[in-house]
Amino acid sequence: MASTSASSIYLQGSARKTSFPSSSTTRAPFHHSTLNFSIPSPSTKVVCVSSSNTAKYNEVVVDEEMDKIRRLQNGSDVRGVALEGEKGRRVDLTPPAVEAIAESFGEWVINGLGKERGPDEPAKVSLGRDPRISGASLSVAVFAGLARSGCLVFDMGLATTPACFMSTLLAPFAYDASITMTASHLPYTRNGLKFFTRNGGLSSPEVEEICDKAARKYANRIAKVSTMLPTPPTRVDFMSAYAKHLRDIIKQRVNHPLHYDTPLKGFQIIVNAGNGSGGFFTWDVLDKLGADTFGSLHLNPDGMFPNHIPNPEDKTAMALTRAAVLENSADLGIVFDTDVDRSGVVDNKGNPINGDKLIALMSAIVLKEHPGTTIVTDARTSLALTKFITDRGGHHCLYRVGYRNVIDKGVQLNKEGIETHLMMETSGHGALKENHFLDDGAYMVVKIIIEMVQMKLLGSDEGIGKLIKDLEEPLESIELRMNVISEPRHAKAKAIEAIETFRSYVEEGRLEGWELDSCGSCWVSEGCLVDSNDTPAAIDAHMYRVKVSDEERGEHGWVHLRQSIHNPNIAVNMQSSVPGGCQYMTSVLRDKFLMASGMDRILDISQIDKFAKSGCV
């Protein structure tokens, strides 16, 4: 049986499986940094298996402990509870868990580099984080895990998610990989990890592989661990280089005839950073380009997020930004999420632009630059958005919900020769082909700002809202949630069971007038779930969209059921073009599927039931 007494592990900066001799000529002076954290003893059964090749140690296999790590995977990210404070949720993103995941990622990076590097040249990995108060202790765990794997670590400090990816590309940094520590818009108690190489973000199967290896490491370390690093991570200021990169793009593309270096002179732009990582955009981008940023909100990082959730979909965030724009007669308002991979805007008349409106705005800009291009979105967008895109000569490809799904679909289409310049999800994730297919909220705002300045130079004072004046809005739109009634380890399987049962009910005609939606003739079949090409993408979450029609009104709405990858629930989105349509479709869903199939026994349908009865959530 493994001992639970404290032990010490000395890390030489070399992997246990891959050897990288230290290079004193390229590293900082030798220091020891002692980092302490403990792994709780498991309460579950421990099975010891003797190795057939060595007697150095016994491999400890603890199923429950391994499941804890595997459950931290959320699609292409890792997310969990890092601090006490959530009712009904235990802390699961602990330093030992993060250390094991970071080590597995480091090994994955090294193995992926293969023969690209010489035997004396270790992989270089950067780490940036949002201002969450759990970031400091979990950063230590990341540093320890990467050092175990044999990587050199570079600490970017407070940084945005897009900046972490760009740190793998921009000289003189050009790291082999990067990690962002963030949980996006989730509460201060949460945290997580996002992974990048120069090829972009990791896919769900890749993160699953890393978490599986990390689970074995975690389960095998039933001991207190004291980690000593031969050198602390190298601190680097990448955000200044990233901000300059954005400033240069604006200057070059605006090419202002009177003041090239200050193209935003005469514009007032308000930024609401929500106390996340986006404050840099105000003082390091806008101010230096000549903009007036008076009236900006919540710029200072605060991991408790005291004012509102940093989220462009948050009603409070948008309302405060709208009020600031109107009060200051500003030209534009900007709302960033915590790690700035998403954004939303407010036009000069105080109109919030997010969701379908933001996709329409970006589509209008991109279609001017690339006529006839394809635009990929998730399958929760409206029929009116499709009309908006096609009326401008574009093609609209609806695809599976999930920003990585949408982005990866765009990458695939380009490889197949189908020009695709914009990929956007209704949550605000937006990626452009010209920007390495990176979902960068700051870059998206840069595109909008450039368009705004160019419109002004051409004599228009209407602002960017003019570009979407003819976008129709759905008459009704609603999102409801059904929590899975199950132990956490079984929640995913139960959610899949419910989603697949829904598919069967629709295919068998048990819901009259409901038909699986193939999302148009855009290379997707079977309700936004399965690619129709020869190399379908892996499924990270099960989902289906159905179109709803009847003899009297024809096709008048759609319903989309989706297994959440972040929480044990099922999201139900629906839109209708007739009054009362969403309430009626909810009643049908409840009576003829959830209760008829018995799924109400494994799902909490209280939101569904309330809306079906009252039309209110």
Side-chain angles (χ1 to χ4, degrees):
M1 187 67 65
S3 171
T4 57
S5 61
S7 62
S8 294
I9 299 176
Y10 183 70
L11 302 184
Q12 297 290 343
S14 59
R16 290 173 294 171
K17 296 181 180 179
T18 307
S19 177
F20 286 116
S22 62
S23 175
S24 59
T25 60
T26 59
R27 300 179 70 172
F30 190 91
H31 295 284
H32 279 95
S33 179
T34 303
L35 315 173
N36 294 294
F37 47 80
S38 62
I39 301 176
S41 298
S43 58
T44 53
K45 183 179 179 181
V46 179
V47 182
C48 296
V49 182
S50 297
S51 171
S52 59
N53 299 322
T54 178
K56 289 183 178 180
Y57 61 88
N58 289 331
E59 180 181 4
V60 182
V61 181
V62 187
D63 289 341
E64 179 58 29
E65 296 299 313
M66 293 173 68
D67 283 343
K68 288 180 182 178
I69 305 299
R70 293 190 180 108
R71 288 198 297 269
L72 291 172
Q73 183 198 357
N74 285 270
S76 57
D77 302 344
V78 165
R79 287 187 184 175
V81 179
L83 296 172
E84 298 285 355
E86 285 192 56
K87 186 177 180 180
R89 294 292 298 266
R90 294 182 178 181
V91 172
D92 53 10
L93 193 71
T94 60
V98 169
E99 186 267 351
I101 293 169
E103 181 184 355
S104 296
F105 175 64
E107 292 175 348
W108 184 88
V109 171
I110 291 170
N111 291 335
L113 291 173
K115 297 181 179 180
E116 293 180 21
R117 290 212 174 286
D120 297 332
E121 190 177 3
K124 298 177 180 179
V125 181
S126 64
L127 171 70
R129 60 184 177 92
D130 73 18
R132 292 170 191 275
I133 59 175
S134 60
S137 61
L138 294 184
S139 292
V140 167
V142 172
F143 298 149
L146 291 173
R148 273 185 184 273
S149 70
C151 296
L152 288 182
V153 189
F154 296 83
D155 180 11
M156 295 169 56
L158 185 69
T160 67
T161 291
C164 287
F165 168 70
M166 292 302 295
S167 75
T168 69
L169 298 178
L170 291 185
F173 304 91
Y175 305 122
D176 298 298
S178 185
I179 299 175
T180 310
M181 185 176 293
T182 182
S184 188
H185 62 282
L186 295 179
Y188 77 93
T189 52
R190 306 286 184 94
N191 217 325
L193 302 171
K194 296 183 179 181
F195 307 96
F196 298 96
T197 68
R198 292 168 186 168
N199 296 322
L202 269 62
S203 66
S204 293
E206 288 168 335
V207 176
E208 182 178 3
E209 175 189 345
I210 288 166
C211 286
D212 186 64
K213 291 179 179 178
R216 298 177 186 278
K217 297 178 191 297
Y218 180 82
N220 287 340
R221 292 172 187 164
I222 311 302
K224 291 183 179 180
V225 179
S226 175
T227 304
M228 293 185 293
L229 305 180
T231 85
T234 301
R235 190 64 187 265
V236 294
D237 179 17
F238 180 78
M239 288 304 295
S240 294
Y242 173 66
K244 181 181 182 299
H245 168 69
L246 296 178
R247 293 198 306 269
D248 288 345
I249 291 171
I250 294 175
K251 287 192 289 188
Q252 292 164 10
R253 297 186 187 176
V254 169
N255 193 23
H256 202 288
L258 300 178
H259 33 89
Y260 178 86
D261 288 325
T262 54
L264 302 187
K265 185 178 179 180
F267 288 89
Q268 184 172 9
I269 301 174
I270 286 173
V271 174
N272 183 349
N275 301 112
S277 303
F280 85 97
F281 195 79
T282 307
W283 48 72
D284 265 356
V285 179
L286 299 179
D287 288 349
K288 291 182 178 180
L289 293 176
D292 176 2
T293 57
F294 179 80
S296 290
L297 304 165
H298 318 317
L299 301 181
N300 293 325
D302 186 334
M304 295 297 291
F305 310 124
N307 294 289
H308 58 73
I309 297 171
N311 184 359
E313 294 184 290
D314 182 66
K315 292 181 179 179
T316 301
M318 271 295 178
L320 290 173
T321 308
R322 178 179 184 273
V325 167
L326 293 175
E327 181 181 347
N328 292 279
S329 299
D331 297 284
L332 185 70
I334 300 166
V335 181
F336 287 127
D337 78 336
T338 313
D339 58 326
V340 196
D341 59 358
R342 294 186 297 140
S343 58
V345 296
V346 175
D347 72 10
N348 60 351
K349 295 179 176 60
N351 298 312
I353 300 177
N354 55 12
D356 276 13
K357 292 181 180 179
L358 185 62
I359 299 175
L361 176 60
M362 290 302 300
S363 298
I365 293 171
V366 169
L367 282 166
K368 286 170 61 177
E369 300 171 341
H370 306 283
T373 192
T374 293
I375 292 164
V376 182
T377 74
D378 67 84
R380 296 171 298 181
T381 55
S382 66
L383 298 176
L385 178 65
T386 300
K387 183 177 184 298
F388 181 91
I389 291 170
T390 54
D391 282 351
R392 283 159 178 75
H395 302 279
H396 188 193
C397 173
L398 290 138
Y399 196 54
R400 296 203 303 270
V401 175
Y403 73 95
R404 283 271 21 128
N405 292 332
V406 171
I407 293 172
D408 289 346
K409 186 65 177 179
V411 172
Q412 173 207 324
L413 293 178
N414 278 288
K415 287 180 178 177
E416 294 178 356
I418 300 166
E419 187 181 74
T420 306
H421 283 274
L422 176 65
M423 299 119 264
M424 286 198 70
E425 196 186 34
T426 50
S427 64
H429 284 283
L432 291 132
K433 179 181 179 181
E434 70 187 53
N435 191 41
H436 314 284
F437 297 98
L438 172 65
D439 51 320
D440 185 343
Y443 190 90
M444 186 162 59
V445 166
V446 162
K447 294 282 290 185
I448 293 170
I449 288 173
I450 292 169
E451 181 67 22
M452 178 182 70
V453 177
Q454 290 175 339
M455 290 173 67
K456 189 70 172 284
L457 288 173
L458 291 173
S460 173
D461 291 319
E462 293 188 69
I464 50 93
K466 175 185 178 182
L467 299 179
I468 57 171
K469 288 177 72 172
D470 60 336
L471 174 68
E472 300 175 8
E473 295 189 50
L475 182 65
E476 294 184 352
S477 182
I478 188 71
E479 177 174 290
L480 304 168
R481 296 272 175 172
M482 299 184 291
N483 290 327
V484 180
I485 305 170
S486 171
E487 294 181 15
R489 64 186 302 179
H490 301 306
K492 182 176 180 179
K494 293 290 185 182
I496 293 173
E497 178 187 351
I499 295 287
E500 291 302 323
T501 303
F502 174 70
R503 173 185 176 172
S504 297
Y505 264 60
V506 174
E507 288 183 327
E508 293 167 7
R510 300 192 192 189
L511 305 177
E512 187 177 354
W514 291 39
E515 180 183 353
L516 281 179
D517 193 345
S518 63
C519 297
S521 56
C522 52
W523 317 283
V524 182
S525 65
E526 299 189 35
C528 316
L529 180 61
V530 181
D531 291 311
S532 61
N533 59 16
D534 294 331
T535 56
I539 297 171
D540 58 351
H542 289 243
M543 62 192 78
Y544 295 99
R545 171 167 150 164
V546 300
K547 51 189 175 184
V548 179
S549 59
D550 57 37
E551 291 184 1
E552 179 183 348
R553 296 169 292 190
E555 185 179 342
H556 58 82
W558 56 259
V559 179
H560 187 279
L561 262 66
R562 170 178 56 92
Q563 166 205 357
S564 172
I565 61 173
H566 297 306
N567 294 292
N569 63 45
I570 291 174
V572 182
N573 292 86
M574 59 182 72
Q575 288 186 1
S576 176
S577 60
V578 298
C582 285
Q583 186 177 3
Y584 173 74
M585 291 187 293
T586 302
S587 297
V588 173
L589 181 71
R590 179 195 61 185
D591 298 339
K592 297 188 178 181
F593 167 60
L594 292 169
M595 299 183 72
S597 66
M599 289 297 107
D600 60 322
R601 292 193 292 269
I602 65 172
L603 299 173
D604 176 3
I605 67 167
S606 55
Q607 276 196 20
I608 300 288
D609 191 51
K610 182 179 179 181
F611 187 76
K613 291 177 179 177
S614 66
C616 299
V617 179

